[in-house]
């Protein structure tokens, strides 16, 4: 057994290591880590991260707080009104 799959997944973090120095502050670094986690989670769930993030950011303001679980990548479904646009 090898750990090649794990190393491939971490390569993007290692390549961006110098860029992470310029997050601006500790809070900026935390926000960058959260965004990176959300994007990678979407990709791991077979969801186009750019489409998912654009849809979630566009609709989260009008979403009922009880239904926020529908917006996570593993539950997210593109709404039919967005597909027509």
């Amino acid at each position: 057994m090898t750990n090649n799959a794990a190393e491939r997944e971490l390569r993007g973090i290692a390549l961006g290591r110098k860029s992470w120095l310029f997050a601006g502050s500790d809070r900026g670094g935390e926000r960058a880590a959260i965004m990176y986690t959300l994007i990678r989670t979407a990709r791991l769930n077979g969801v186009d991260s750019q489409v998912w993030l654009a849809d979630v950011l566009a609709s989260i303001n009008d979403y009922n707080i009880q239904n926020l679980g529908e917006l996570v990548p593993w539950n997210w479904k593109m709404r039919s009104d967005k597909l027509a646009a």
Side-chain angles (χ1 to χ4, degrees), residues 52-72:
W52 170 75
L53 194 56
D55 182 53
V56 168
L57 291 176
S59 62
I60 197 167
N61 193 37
D62 301 326
Y63 235 75
N64 182 351
I65 195 165
Q66 302 298 324
N67 299 331
L68 284 179
E70 297 172 2
L71 297 178
V72 294

Side-chain angles (χ1 to χ4, degrees), residues 41-54:
T41 301
R43 285 187 188 166
L44 289 172
N45 283 281
V47 175
D48 182 350
S49 56
Q50 186 174 4
V51 172
W52 170 75
L53 194 56

